Amino acid sequence: MLENPASKLVLLLLAAVFIQSAYDKIMYWKGNLEWLKGHFAQTPIKNMVPFSLGLILLLELASGIFSIAGFLELMINKSRTFGQYGAILSCLTFLVLLIGQRMAKDYDGARTIVIYFVPAVLCVFFLGS
């Protein structure tokens, strides 16, 4: 556990964030969809909310799965491949979420996403060096 501790910890953070969020979307799809329709009612994507929610769900699942696989890969054989995929995919997912929040003019929500984005970018850096 002492090798690449920052990368391992951030991968666990990303896995927890995205797996929990994907679980929430699956279990409470209708409620999330209704809330998001209102949230994006004044944006150019107002008619694409169901598609967008599905896309975000897939991105979050992939980000979470690759992040946990990357953590396990680092623990077992010290390889970084899945961790790099997980960290990069997580960054892309956060960017999609950030764009959505900015479109909805939810600047506090966008700021929150940036708080998660920073360690994800650091993880990309740690795993790439």
Side-chain angles (χ1 to χ4, degrees), residues 25-122:
K25 284 175 181 57
I26 292 167
M27 297 305 293
Y28 307 103
W29 180 267
K30 287 175 79 172
N32 280 307
L33 188 58
E34 289 308 310
W35 185 85
L36 288 168
K37 283 180 180 178
H39 190 64
F40 289 104
Q42 304 300 318
T43 70
I45 63 167
K46 64 184 173 196
N47 296 323
M48 297 173 36
V49 172
F51 171 79
S52 299
L53 183 58
L55 176 64
I56 291 298
L57 171 61
L58 292 175
L59 287 170
E60 288 181 345
L61 278 172
S63 298
I65 290 168
F66 273 105
S67 294
I68 197 70
F71 170 80
L72 294 171
E73 184 182 41
L74 272 172
M75 291 294 290
I76 294 167
N77 64 14
K78 298 177 182 46
S79 182
R80 300 174 178 200
T81 304
F82 286 112
Q84 287 176 318
Y85 292 150
I88 291 168
L89 193 53
S90 294
C91 286
L92 294 173
T93 302
F94 285 132
L95 286 171
V96 170
L97 291 167
L98 177 73
I99 290 167
Q101 294 296 63
R102 298 285 300 182
M103 289 175 77
K105 298 189 182 347
D106 181 355
Y107 301 115
D108 286 334
R111 184 177 21 251
T112 300
I113 291 167
V114 171
I115 292 169
Y116 288 102
F117 183 72
V118 171
V121 169
L122 288 173

Side-chain angles (χ1 to χ4, degrees), residues 1-12 71 74-75 126:
M1 178 72 174
L2 296 180
E3 290 183 38
N4 298 307
S7 298
K8 290 174 186 171
L9 291 169
V10 175
L11 286 170
L12 285 176
F71 170 80
L74 272 172
M75 291 294 290
F126 295 149

